[in-house]
Amino acid sequence: MTQITMTRPDDWHLHLRDGAAMADVVAHSARVFGRAIVMPNLTPPVVTTDGALGYRRRILAALPAETTFEPLMTLYLTDRTPPAEIKMAVESGIVHGVKLYPAGATTNSEAGVTDIARVGEVLAVMAELGLPLQVHGEVTDPGVDLFDREAVFLERILAPIVEEHPGLKVVMEHVTTSEAVSFVENARDGVAATITPHHLLMNRNAIFSGGIRPHHYCLPVLKRERHRQALVRAATSGNARFFLGTDSAPHSVETKEAPCGCAGIYSAHAALELYAGVFEAAGALDRLEAFASFHGADYYQLPRNTGSITLVQKPWLVPPAYRFGESSLIPLSAGETVAWKIEEMDCH
Ligand code: DOR
Ligand code: ZN
């Protein structure tokens, strides 16, 4: 197959940042995706519905003219999120989930949850109102090896949440291990997962190939090849619990190429094209549409997009960098060739 036409996709996990930097990256997502779940880990984080409304307005104002991209907002869960905030969020109609960052787990997670016992009441209200919990699934215990943090999180934190709140919708974001894939496959209804292009494309050798590669550092960190293969199997399986979420996470080149560099891989410039390469290699291009355009919308109980998009096999060169506010960012596959290209969009 050298060409594929599919329903316009959505990105169910995206970092857009704010201000001038946001204006430089949002066009990449809006070019392809109909909607995106926008992560709330700004500084300071988006902890209220009011904050989400303001952030949404800024995103819409930064969109290029004639784009129809819709940002789907989220709230950042803290130890002190009041249950009444959840009610307001649902009533607003613009908040589609609440993000659980274990405090200290990743970029801008300092204000996150220090003890899951503190958010029991909020989770109960979310379950009652049908608002999904989006989970960064890594423990922060320094005694746990970095590469084991997701698997340990499943046992210590996620399994109890899923059991104690049987009505709660839970998305395990950016799964990286075969353990997480099995957990989601075998969990009760309402448990789903997003999968990034970088975790489908690379294993942990990519962080150290020929020297240290800060642009391949993200959290959860890339894992062994057998885990990557489990992710490819899950994404291409047709199982509706797995859907597209890029976790595209822009950082300036200076903050990545530093003695203590930031976690995050930028993929919004080529995300769908890279997923297409993964699905093609797995002989599953016919399943790309469901993964990218159906499963997430169905999970979030939103209508599927009506526009379409055509990808063709036509190699193109990824630029070495993109502008990012006052600075620049190095995208995934910078300077390399991507096999699939977007030929045509019909975003009605
Ligand atoms: O690599 C990551 N970058 N993982 C996260 O969880 C956060 C993200 C970011 O915001 O940069
Ligand atoms: Zn993320």
Side-chain angles (χ1 to χ4, degrees), residues 31 110 199 206 220 336:
R31 169 187 71 107
E110 298 74 19
H199 290 105
E336 292 173 11

Side-chain angles (χ1 to χ4, degrees), residues 2-275:
T2 56
Q3 179 168 323
I4 171 173
T5 295
M6 56 189 270
T7 303
R8 192 178 187 196
D10 301 299
D11 183 350
W12 300 99
H13 185 126
L14 176 65
H15 298 269
L16 284 177
R17 314 305 188 205
D18 210 343
M22 167 174 70
D24 286 331
V25 295
V26 69
H28 280 151
S29 297
R31 169 187 71 107
V32 175
F33 296 104
R35 298 163 290 200
I37 287 275
V38 180
M39 287 296 131
N41 62 332
L42 305 180
T43 33
V46 181
V47 293
T48 63
T49 304
D50 262 2
L53 280 162
Y55 186 26
R56 181 172 181 273
R57 276 194 294 273
R58 297 196 296 282
I59 296 168
L60 293 174
L63 283 175
E66 293 177 31
T67 45
T68 54
F69 177 77
E70 188 187 350
L72 307 172
M73 309 313 293
T74 58
L75 295 189
Y76 183 114
L77 187 61
T78 75
D79 286 351
R80 288 168 304 283
T81 302
E85 192 62 56
I86 303 301
K87 295 202 172 87
M88 274 190 276
V90 171
E91 279 161 19
S92 76
I94 60 117
V95 175
H96 295 268
V98 175
K99 181 73 188 278
L100 164 62
Y101 285 106
T106 185
T107 308
N108 295 342
S109 64
E110 298 74 19
V113 174
T114 61
D115 180 354
I116 201 72
R118 300 192 177 182
V119 295
E121 206 187 325
V122 166
L123 297 185
V125 175
M126 287 172 58
E128 192 189 314
L129 301 179
L131 190 63
L133 179 73
Q134 297 136 342
V135 177
H136 183 105
E138 289 191 287
V139 292
T140 53
D141 180 348
V144 175
D145 188 276
L146 178 71
F147 292 94
D148 297 333
R149 287 185 185 173
E150 181 174 281
V152 173
F153 182 90
L154 297 169
E155 281 170 36
R156 287 194 196 165
I157 315 283
L158 196 61
I161 292 178
V162 166
E163 197 179 309
E164 281 161 33
H165 300 278
L168 183 65
K169 296 182 83 166
V170 179
V171 187
M172 175 88 176
E173 300 293 342
H174 41 56
V175 283
T176 66
T177 57
S178 64
E179 288 90 341
V181 166
S182 303
F183 182 93
V184 171
E185 284 172 339
N186 297 311
R188 63 156 170 78
D189 281 357
V191 177
T194 54
I195 307 182
T196 77
H198 44 282
H199 290 105
L200 290 170
L201 283 164
M202 298 185 286
N203 64 35
R204 66 191 198 177
N205 287 348
I207 314 168
F208 307 105
S209 67
I212 193 149
R213 303 277 184 164
H215 299 291
H216 291 164
Y217 172 57
C218 63
L219 287 170
V221 74
L222 298 171
K223 304 296 193 300
R224 287 177 181 276
E225 175 61 11
R226 72 178 172 84
H227 294 295
R228 189 192 69 81
Q229 288 174 9
L231 300 176
V232 172
R233 275 195 298 276
T236 60
S237 66
N239 185 335
R241 289 172 183 251
F242 297 101
F243 38 87
L244 185 159
T246 63
D247 197 18
S248 180
H251 290 275
S252 70
V253 61
E254 296 82 11
T255 57
K256 291 288 290 176
E257 298 178 4
C260 186
C262 292
I265 294 179
Y266 185 73
S267 61
H269 63 299
L272 187 65
E273 298 89 327
L274 291 169
Y275 281 112

